[in-house]
Short mmCIF file of all heavy atoms in Angstrom, two decimals:
data_model
loop_
_atom_site.label_atom_id
_atom_site.label_comp_id
_atom_site.label_asym_id
_atom_site.label_seq_id
_atom_site.Cartn_x
_atom_site.Cartn_y
_atom_site.Cartn_z
N VAL A 280 -9.04 6.50 -9.11
CA VAL A 280 -10.37 6.82 -8.62
C VAL A 280 -10.24 7.92 -7.71
O VAL A 280 -9.64 7.83 -6.62
CB VAL A 280 -11.07 5.54 -8.13
CG1 VAL A 280 -12.43 5.96 -7.56
CG2 VAL A 280 -11.05 4.40 -8.95
N ILE A 281 -10.73 9.11 -8.03
CA ILE A 281 -10.63 10.33 -7.18
C ILE A 281 -11.98 10.73 -6.69
O ILE A 281 -12.90 10.86 -7.42
CB ILE A 281 -9.99 11.50 -8.00
CG1 ILE A 281 -8.58 11.00 -8.51
CG2 ILE A 281 -9.79 12.67 -7.18
CD1 ILE A 281 -8.02 11.85 -9.57
N ALA A 282 -12.07 10.88 -5.36
CA ALA A 282 -13.33 11.32 -4.69
C ALA A 282 -13.07 12.64 -4.06
O ALA A 282 -12.23 12.78 -3.13
CB ALA A 282 -13.81 10.19 -3.73
N VAL A 283 -13.96 13.57 -4.43
CA VAL A 283 -13.92 14.97 -3.77
C VAL A 283 -14.99 14.97 -2.74
O VAL A 283 -16.15 14.96 -3.09
CB VAL A 283 -13.95 16.06 -4.74
CG1 VAL A 283 -13.91 17.35 -4.08
CG2 VAL A 283 -12.94 15.94 -5.77
N GLU A 284 -14.61 15.03 -1.49
CA GLU A 284 -15.63 15.10 -0.43
C GLU A 284 -15.73 16.43 0.19
O GLU A 284 -15.09 17.40 -0.45
CB GLU A 284 -15.29 14.06 0.71
CG GLU A 284 -15.38 12.57 0.20
CD GLU A 284 -15.03 11.52 1.22
OE1 GLU A 284 -14.61 11.96 2.37
OE2 GLU A 284 -15.02 10.41 0.85
N ALA A 285 -16.38 16.70 1.27
CA ALA A 285 -16.53 17.96 1.84
C ALA A 285 -15.23 18.79 2.06
O ALA A 285 -15.06 19.88 1.52
CB ALA A 285 -17.43 17.94 3.09
N GLU A 286 -14.43 18.15 2.85
CA GLU A 286 -13.17 18.90 3.21
C GLU A 286 -11.91 18.07 2.76
O GLU A 286 -10.81 18.52 3.21
CB GLU A 286 -13.16 19.06 4.75
CG GLU A 286 -14.27 19.91 5.20
CD GLU A 286 -14.07 21.38 4.83
OE1 GLU A 286 -13.03 21.91 4.80
OE2 GLU A 286 -15.27 21.95 4.48
N GLN A 287 -12.02 17.16 1.97
CA GLN A 287 -10.78 16.37 1.67
C GLN A 287 -10.98 15.76 0.23
O GLN A 287 -12.03 15.48 -0.23
CB GLN A 287 -10.41 15.40 2.69
CG GLN A 287 -11.44 14.35 3.03
CD GLN A 287 -11.12 13.49 4.20
OE1 GLN A 287 -10.03 13.71 4.78
NE2 GLN A 287 -11.83 12.47 4.37
N ILE A 288 -9.90 15.28 -0.41
CA ILE A 288 -9.79 14.57 -1.67
C ILE A 288 -9.10 13.20 -1.27
O ILE A 288 -8.08 13.24 -0.69
CB ILE A 288 -8.98 15.39 -2.68
CG1 ILE A 288 -9.53 16.79 -2.91
CG2 ILE A 288 -8.96 14.62 -3.98
CD1 ILE A 288 -8.62 17.65 -3.65
N ILE A 289 -9.77 12.17 -1.73
CA ILE A 289 -9.28 10.87 -1.57
C ILE A 289 -8.90 10.22 -2.91
O ILE A 289 -9.77 10.25 -3.80
CB ILE A 289 -10.32 9.96 -0.67
CG1 ILE A 289 -10.53 10.66 0.60
CG2 ILE A 289 -9.77 8.52 -0.61
CD1 ILE A 289 -11.63 9.99 1.42
N VAL A 290 -7.83 9.75 -3.02
CA VAL A 290 -7.31 8.92 -4.15
C VAL A 290 -7.28 7.49 -3.91
O VAL A 290 -6.57 7.09 -2.94
CB VAL A 290 -5.94 9.52 -4.63
CG1 VAL A 290 -5.48 8.77 -5.88
CG2 VAL A 290 -5.96 11.01 -4.78
N ASN A 291 -7.93 6.65 -4.74
CA ASN A 291 -7.88 5.17 -4.60
C ASN A 291 -7.36 4.56 -5.89
O ASN A 291 -7.48 5.24 -6.93
CB ASN A 291 -9.26 4.66 -4.20
CG ASN A 291 -9.64 5.04 -2.80
OD1 ASN A 291 -8.92 4.92 -1.98
ND2 ASN A 291 -10.92 5.48 -2.74
N ARG A 292 -6.84 3.38 -5.80
CA ARG A 292 -6.40 2.71 -7.02
C ARG A 292 -7.23 1.49 -7.27
O ARG A 292 -7.81 0.90 -6.32
CB ARG A 292 -4.90 2.27 -6.95
CG ARG A 292 -4.61 1.43 -5.81
CD ARG A 292 -3.13 0.97 -5.84
NE ARG A 292 -2.83 0.10 -4.86
CZ ARG A 292 -2.33 0.36 -3.66
NH1 ARG A 292 -2.07 1.66 -3.34
NH2 ARG A 292 -2.09 -0.58 -2.80
N PRO A 293 -7.49 1.18 -8.56
CA PRO A 293 -8.35 0.02 -8.83
C PRO A 293 -7.81 -1.33 -8.57
O PRO A 293 -8.55 -2.28 -8.22
CB PRO A 293 -8.58 0.18 -10.35
CG PRO A 293 -7.46 0.90 -10.85
CD PRO A 293 -6.99 1.84 -9.75
N SER A 294 -6.47 -1.48 -8.61
CA SER A 294 -5.90 -2.80 -8.35
C SER A 294 -4.55 -2.59 -7.78
O SER A 294 -4.06 -1.53 -7.64
CB SER A 294 -5.86 -3.62 -9.70
OG SER A 294 -4.87 -3.04 -10.55
N ASN A 295 -3.81 -3.74 -7.56
CA ASN A 295 -2.48 -3.66 -7.04
C ASN A 295 -1.42 -4.00 -8.15
O ASN A 295 -0.34 -4.51 -7.78
CB ASN A 295 -2.31 -4.75 -5.86
CG ASN A 295 -2.96 -4.19 -4.56
OD1 ASN A 295 -3.09 -2.99 -4.39
ND2 ASN A 295 -3.35 -5.06 -3.68
N GLU A 296 -1.70 -3.67 -9.33
CA GLU A 296 -0.80 -3.81 -10.42
C GLU A 296 0.34 -2.80 -10.21
O GLU A 296 0.14 -1.79 -9.57
CB GLU A 296 -1.48 -3.59 -11.81
CG GLU A 296 -2.43 -4.66 -12.23
CD GLU A 296 -3.07 -4.40 -13.56
OE1 GLU A 296 -2.43 -3.63 -14.36
OE2 GLU A 296 -4.15 -4.82 -13.77
N LYS A 297 1.57 -3.18 -10.85
CA LYS A 297 2.64 -2.28 -10.63
C LYS A 297 2.51 -0.86 -11.08
O LYS A 297 2.84 0.08 -10.43
CB LYS A 297 3.83 -2.85 -11.42
CG LYS A 297 5.12 -2.30 -11.06
CD LYS A 297 6.29 -3.05 -11.66
CE LYS A 297 7.63 -2.54 -11.21
NZ LYS A 297 8.70 -3.24 -11.73
N THR A 298 1.77 -0.65 -12.24
CA THR A 298 1.52 0.73 -12.71
C THR A 298 0.58 1.45 -11.82
O THR A 298 0.69 2.71 -11.54
CB THR A 298 0.93 0.68 -14.15
OG1 THR A 298 -0.23 -0.12 -14.21
CG2 THR A 298 2.00 0.23 -15.15
N ASP A 299 -0.42 0.77 -11.31
CA ASP A 299 -1.41 1.45 -10.38
C ASP A 299 -0.71 1.76 -9.05
O ASP A 299 -1.08 2.88 -8.50
CB ASP A 299 -2.62 0.46 -10.09
CG ASP A 299 -3.48 0.31 -11.34
OD1 ASP A 299 -3.41 1.12 -12.27
OD2 ASP A 299 -4.33 -0.62 -11.34
N LEU A 300 0.11 0.96 -8.57
CA LEU A 300 0.88 1.26 -7.41
C LEU A 300 1.76 2.55 -7.55
O LEU A 300 1.87 3.39 -6.67
CB LEU A 300 1.78 0.05 -6.94
CG LEU A 300 1.12 -1.18 -6.47
CD1 LEU A 300 2.12 -2.30 -6.24
CD2 LEU A 300 0.45 -0.87 -5.10
N ALA A 301 2.38 2.61 -8.75
CA ALA A 301 3.16 3.76 -9.05
C ALA A 301 2.32 5.03 -9.16
O ALA A 301 2.69 6.17 -8.66
CB ALA A 301 3.95 3.57 -10.26
N LEU A 302 1.24 4.95 -9.81
CA LEU A 302 0.41 6.12 -10.12
C LEU A 302 -0.35 6.60 -8.84
O LEU A 302 -0.82 7.77 -8.78
CB LEU A 302 -0.56 5.76 -11.23
CG LEU A 302 -0.03 5.62 -12.61
CD1 LEU A 302 -1.02 5.18 -13.51
CD2 LEU A 302 0.52 6.96 -13.14
N HIS A 303 -0.58 5.75 -7.86
CA HIS A 303 -1.39 6.16 -6.68
C HIS A 303 -0.64 7.21 -5.88
O HIS A 303 -1.34 8.30 -5.69
CB HIS A 303 -1.43 4.84 -5.75
CG HIS A 303 -2.56 5.04 -4.63
ND1 HIS A 303 -2.52 4.31 -3.57
CD2 HIS A 303 -3.53 5.82 -4.57
CE1 HIS A 303 -3.34 4.60 -2.76
NE2 HIS A 303 -4.06 5.66 -3.31
N GLY A 304 0.60 7.13 -5.53
CA GLY A 304 1.23 8.17 -4.82
C GLY A 304 1.51 9.41 -5.68
O GLY A 304 1.43 10.56 -5.20
N LEU A 305 1.83 9.17 -6.96
CA LEU A 305 2.04 10.31 -7.88
C LEU A 305 0.80 11.25 -8.01
O LEU A 305 0.79 12.41 -7.86
CB LEU A 305 2.35 9.82 -9.29
CG LEU A 305 2.48 10.85 -10.33
CD1 LEU A 305 3.67 11.76 -10.18
CD2 LEU A 305 2.50 10.26 -11.69
N THR A 306 -0.38 10.55 -8.21
CA THR A 306 -1.67 11.28 -8.33
C THR A 306 -1.96 12.15 -7.07
O THR A 306 -2.25 13.30 -7.20
CB THR A 306 -2.79 10.32 -8.67
OG1 THR A 306 -2.51 9.64 -9.84
CG2 THR A 306 -4.01 11.10 -8.94
N ARG A 307 -1.78 11.53 -5.94
CA ARG A 307 -1.99 12.20 -4.64
C ARG A 307 -1.06 13.38 -4.48
O ARG A 307 -1.41 14.47 -4.05
CB ARG A 307 -1.92 11.24 -3.47
CG ARG A 307 -2.41 11.73 -2.15
CD ARG A 307 -1.29 12.31 -1.37
NE ARG A 307 -1.70 12.86 -0.10
CZ ARG A 307 -1.05 13.72 0.60
NH1 ARG A 307 0.06 14.16 0.12
NH2 ARG A 307 -1.50 14.25 1.73
N SER A 308 0.26 13.21 -4.86
CA SER A 308 1.20 14.24 -4.64
C SER A 308 0.90 15.44 -5.62
O SER A 308 1.04 16.62 -5.31
CB SER A 308 2.62 13.72 -4.92
OG SER A 308 2.97 12.87 -3.95
N LEU A 309 0.52 15.11 -6.90
CA LEU A 309 0.12 16.15 -7.92
C LEU A 309 -1.08 17.01 -7.40
O LEU A 309 -1.07 18.19 -7.45
CB LEU A 309 -0.18 15.56 -9.15
CG LEU A 309 0.96 14.96 -10.03
CD1 LEU A 309 0.45 14.27 -11.21
CD2 LEU A 309 2.01 16.00 -10.35
N ILE A 310 -2.01 16.33 -6.74
CA ILE A 310 -3.23 17.03 -6.29
C ILE A 310 -2.84 17.83 -5.06
O ILE A 310 -3.23 19.03 -4.95
CB ILE A 310 -4.32 15.99 -5.89
CG1 ILE A 310 -4.84 15.39 -7.17
CG2 ILE A 310 -5.47 16.69 -5.07
CD1 ILE A 310 -5.83 14.16 -6.93
N ASN A 311 -2.00 17.29 -4.12
CA ASN A 311 -1.57 18.09 -3.03
C ASN A 311 -0.78 19.28 -3.42
O ASN A 311 -0.88 20.37 -2.80
CB ASN A 311 -0.74 17.22 -2.02
CG ASN A 311 -0.48 17.83 -0.81
OD1 ASN A 311 -1.34 18.35 -0.05
ND2 ASN A 311 0.81 17.85 -0.43
N ASN A 312 0.09 19.17 -4.43
CA ASN A 312 0.99 20.34 -4.88
C ASN A 312 0.06 21.44 -5.38
O ASN A 312 0.36 22.56 -5.27
CB ASN A 312 1.95 19.83 -5.82
CG ASN A 312 3.03 19.08 -5.23
OD1 ASN A 312 3.35 19.14 -4.04
ND2 ASN A 312 3.78 18.35 -5.98
N MET A 313 -1.04 21.00 -6.13
CA MET A 313 -1.91 22.03 -6.65
C MET A 313 -2.62 22.76 -5.48
O MET A 313 -2.79 24.01 -5.48
CB MET A 313 -2.98 21.38 -7.66
CG MET A 313 -2.41 20.96 -8.90
SD MET A 313 -3.68 20.54 -10.09
CE MET A 313 -4.60 19.35 -9.30
N VAL A 314 -3.19 22.01 -4.53
CA VAL A 314 -3.84 22.59 -3.37
C VAL A 314 -2.92 23.56 -2.57
O VAL A 314 -3.32 24.63 -2.25
CB VAL A 314 -4.49 21.57 -2.48
CG1 VAL A 314 -4.99 22.15 -1.17
CG2 VAL A 314 -5.61 20.74 -3.16
N VAL A 315 -1.71 23.13 -2.27
CA VAL A 315 -0.78 23.98 -1.66
C VAL A 315 -0.33 25.13 -2.45
O VAL A 315 -0.21 26.21 -1.91
CB VAL A 315 0.53 23.15 -1.21
CG1 VAL A 315 1.56 24.02 -0.64
CG2 VAL A 315 0.07 22.05 -0.14
N GLY A 316 -0.23 24.96 -3.77
CA GLY A 316 0.19 26.07 -4.63
C GLY A 316 -0.81 27.21 -4.65
O GLY A 316 -0.49 28.39 -4.60
N VAL A 317 -2.12 26.90 -4.82
CA VAL A 317 -3.14 27.96 -4.86
C VAL A 317 -3.42 28.51 -3.50
O VAL A 317 -4.00 29.71 -3.49
CB VAL A 317 -4.48 27.42 -5.54
CG1 VAL A 317 -4.16 27.00 -6.97
CG2 VAL A 317 -5.15 26.39 -4.75
N SER A 318 -3.13 27.91 -2.43
CA SER A 318 -3.36 28.44 -1.09
C SER A 318 -2.13 29.23 -0.51
O SER A 318 -2.33 30.28 0.05
CB SER A 318 -3.89 27.41 -0.17
OG SER A 318 -2.95 26.42 0.03
N GLN A 319 -0.91 28.63 -0.66
CA GLN A 319 0.25 29.23 -0.09
C GLN A 319 1.29 29.63 -1.13
O GLN A 319 1.99 30.63 -0.89
CB GLN A 319 0.95 28.24 0.89
CG GLN A 319 0.04 27.79 2.03
CD GLN A 319 0.62 26.56 2.69
OE1 GLN A 319 1.74 26.17 2.47
NE2 GLN A 319 -0.13 26.00 3.71
N GLY A 320 1.37 28.87 -2.17
CA GLY A 320 2.40 29.18 -3.18
C GLY A 320 3.72 28.46 -2.87
O GLY A 320 3.87 27.95 -1.76
N PHE A 321 4.65 28.52 -3.87
CA PHE A 321 6.02 27.94 -3.63
C PHE A 321 7.04 28.98 -3.82
O PHE A 321 6.88 29.84 -4.68
CB PHE A 321 6.17 26.68 -4.65
CG PHE A 321 5.19 25.52 -4.32
CD1 PHE A 321 4.08 25.41 -5.13
CD2 PHE A 321 5.57 24.71 -3.32
CE1 PHE A 321 3.26 24.34 -4.84
CE2 PHE A 321 4.73 23.60 -3.06
CZ PHE A 321 3.57 23.47 -3.90
N LYS A 322 8.14 28.78 -3.26
CA LYS A 322 9.33 29.71 -3.30
C LYS A 322 10.58 28.91 -3.26
O LYS A 322 10.78 27.92 -2.45
CB LYS A 322 9.16 30.58 -2.10
CG LYS A 322 10.25 31.69 -2.04
CD LYS A 322 10.00 32.58 -0.80
CE LYS A 322 10.91 33.86 -0.91
NZ LYS A 322 10.58 34.75 0.19
N LYS A 323 11.52 29.31 -4.14
CA LYS A 323 12.87 28.67 -4.25
C LYS A 323 13.86 29.75 -4.15
O LYS A 323 13.83 30.73 -4.91
CB LYS A 323 12.93 28.01 -5.58
CG LYS A 323 13.91 26.87 -5.60
CD LYS A 323 13.48 25.57 -5.09
CE LYS A 323 14.02 24.43 -5.74
NZ LYS A 323 14.11 23.27 -4.89
N ALA A 324 14.71 29.70 -3.22
CA ALA A 324 15.77 30.71 -3.02
C ALA A 324 17.07 30.33 -3.72
O ALA A 324 17.49 29.22 -3.63
CB ALA A 324 16.00 30.99 -1.51
N LEU A 325 17.65 31.38 -4.34
CA LEU A 325 19.00 31.16 -5.08
C LEU A 325 19.94 32.27 -4.58
O LEU A 325 19.52 33.38 -4.16
CB LEU A 325 18.83 31.38 -6.62
CG LEU A 325 17.86 30.41 -7.31
CD1 LEU A 325 17.62 30.87 -8.73
CD2 LEU A 325 18.56 28.99 -7.37
N GLU A 326 21.18 31.94 -4.65
CA GLU A 326 22.26 32.86 -4.27
C GLU A 326 23.22 32.94 -5.30
O GLU A 326 23.64 32.05 -5.92
CB GLU A 326 22.97 32.45 -2.96
CG GLU A 326 22.09 32.38 -1.71
CD GLU A 326 22.88 31.89 -0.48
OE1 GLU A 326 24.04 31.48 -0.60
OE2 GLU A 326 22.28 31.90 0.62
N ILE A 327 23.82 34.19 -5.58
CA ILE A 327 24.82 34.44 -6.59
C ILE A 327 26.10 34.76 -5.81
O ILE A 327 26.18 35.63 -5.01
CB ILE A 327 24.36 35.58 -7.53
CG1 ILE A 327 23.02 35.28 -8.23
CG2 ILE A 327 25.51 35.83 -8.59
CD1 ILE A 327 22.52 36.40 -8.98
N ASN A 328 27.12 34.00 -6.12
CA ASN A 328 28.45 34.17 -5.45
C ASN A 328 29.51 34.47 -6.52
O ASN A 328 29.53 33.78 -7.60
CB ASN A 328 28.84 32.89 -4.66
CG ASN A 328 27.99 32.56 -3.57
OD1 ASN A 328 27.51 33.52 -2.89
ND2 ASN A 328 27.79 31.32 -3.26
N GLY A 329 30.24 35.47 -6.31
CA GLY A 329 31.32 35.85 -7.27
C GLY A 329 31.51 37.41 -7.37
O GLY A 329 30.54 38.17 -7.16
#
Side-chain angles (χ1 to χ4, degrees):
V280 179
I281 302 165
V283 179
E284 294 178 0
E286 297 295 321
Q287 61 186 3
I288 303 168
I289 298 173
V290 180
N291 292 314
R292 61 176 182 264
S294 69
N295 284 332
E296 292 181 24
K297 192 171 186 176
T298 56
D299 290 343
L300 289 170
L302 289 171
H303 191 203
L305 170 73
T306 304
R307 191 261 178 204
S308 292
L309 290 174
I310 293 170
N311 187 52
N312 288 341
M313 287 194 301
V314 170
V315 170
V317 298
S318 60
Q319 300 169 4
F321 292 101
K322 185 176 188 178
K323 201 83 147 151
L325 298 168
E326 293 177 356
I327 301 175
N328 296 323

